[in-house]
Amino acid sequence: MKFLLAYLTTSILFFKSNLIIAQVVFKTYNQEIGTIQSNGNIQKINYTFKNNSKHPTAITRIASNCGCTTSSFDKRPIQTGEQRTIQVSFNPIGIKGYFKKQITVYFADSKNPVHLYLSGNVIAPENLIDGYHYVLGKLQLKNIRATLQASEGQTFMRTFPLINATAQPVKVTLSSDIEGILFEEAQITLAGHETYELPIYFSPKKSQLVSIRIIEKKAINNEVALKVIKDK
């Protein structure tokens, strides 16, 4: 009798688990983003779904088979008939050619996750030097993004390794409209194939956290103008 009761309980829970997942319906399970450049632009893709079951549910966690994707979602309960969106951010750096990534979504009261897929094709810049991922004019950088945080009266410094990828000297000018962003020098000249640790300082008037990104403002001949902007 106890065995039968345990079997029935397990069967009911398994049935409920499958029923919830079967009735959480996504508009699409596969997103194709086409051909993109590996230039540091993060692609943001939305997956919209609706809870058509008779019970509230919630997303407990989202996993991916690649560190190139991160997901953001609302952790609050999803009521019957409610529609929600999962936003997946894809960073193409380090990926070349065709790709297909899997995003696994886990819902409460269900052992069976939902599998979403993201595919496309990445074109990487030509003649990248080993270890460098971004091309800004005649320069190549290992990274162009950072999160800076400093308290009032403090200064935070972050360095960005870069290299002059040509045999000729390159003049680099630096600027930013972000309050608190400072440079040791607003203009530097790099010899051919010279490496450099670009220091960027953050000294806000009050405690603050800011996400930044380095972009190419202008590139003419052997001159490159770099600008530090807020990263969205």
Side-chain angles (χ1 to χ4, degrees):
M1 185 68 179
K2 290 182 178 180
F3 175 79
L4 178 60
L5 181 60
Y7 173 79
L8 289 174
T9 301
T10 302
S11 299
I12 291 171
L13 290 174
F14 180 77
F15 175 76
K16 181 181 177 182
S17 172
N18 284 338
L19 184 62
I20 290 175
I21 290 305
Q23 294 187 0
V24 173
V25 181
F26 283 76
K27 286 187 176 181
T28 179
Y29 295 84
N30 297 276
Q31 293 266 29
E32 164 63 51
I33 62 175
T35 299
I36 60 174
Q37 300 288 328
S38 179
N39 58 2
N41 289 330
I42 293 179
Q43 308 292 317
K44 294 186 177 181
I45 304 95
N46 290 329
Y47 292 83
T48 301
F49 65 94
K50 186 177 182 181
N51 179 14
N52 289 331
S53 74
K54 295 181 180 180
H55 306 279
T57 187
I59 297 174
T60 55
R61 68 185 180 98
I62 297 179
S64 173
N65 65 348
C66 175
C68 57
T69 63
T70 57
S71 303
S72 60
F73 60 94
D74 192 335
K75 296 182 180 181
R76 294 175 299 175
I78 308 160
Q79 302 301 322
T80 299
E82 187 176 357
Q83 184 171 285
R84 290 281 180 87
T85 297
I86 297 169
Q87 184 175 84
V88 175
S89 297
F90 172 68
N91 188 340
I93 291 301
I95 297 176
K96 297 180 181 179
Y98 176 79
F99 69 89
K100 186 171 185 178
K101 305 301 178 183
Q102 178 177 285
I103 300 100
T104 305
V105 185
Y106 295 87
F107 288 88
D109 301 322
S110 177
K111 296 181 180 180
N112 302 313
V114 173
H115 298 296
L116 307 174
Y117 297 92
L118 177 66
S119 60
N121 187 60
V122 177
I123 299 177
E126 296 181 357
N127 303 318
L128 272 177
I129 297 171
D130 188 38
Y132 294 85
H133 305 293
Y134 304 87
V135 176
L136 300 179
K138 299 295 179 67
L139 306 176
Q140 294 187 17
L141 291 83
K142 291 186 177 182
N143 189 26
I144 61 171
R145 286 185 169 86
T147 298
L148 312 179
Q149 184 173 13
S151 301
E152 182 180 352
Q154 294 183 336
T155 299
F156 180 88
M157 189 268 284
R158 175 72 181 269
T159 59
F160 293 80
L162 58 83
I163 186 172
N164 174 4
T166 72
Q168 303 300 318
V170 171
K171 183 169 71 174
V172 183
T173 57
L174 304 166
S175 66
S176 179
D177 295 329
I178 302 174
E179 184 177 354
I181 292 292
L182 304 170
F183 308 101
E184 285 185 359
E185 299 176 272
Q187 183 175 297
I188 57 175
T189 298
L190 301 178
H193 302 299
E194 181 182 353
T195 59
Y196 181 68
E197 296 282 335
L198 173 64
I200 295 179
Y201 297 87
F202 183 48
S203 183
K205 293 182 178 179
K206 59 181 181 179
S207 298
Q208 191 176 348
L209 180 147
V210 63
S211 294
I212 65 168
R213 176 182 176 183
I214 303 173
I215 64 168
E216 175 190 317
K217 185 178 178 182
K218 183 187 298 184
I220 302 176
N221 298 323
N222 288 339
E223 297 185 12
V224 181
L226 301 180
K227 186 173 184 178
V228 177
I229 65 172
K230 287 186 177 181
D231 195 21
K232 297 179 180 180

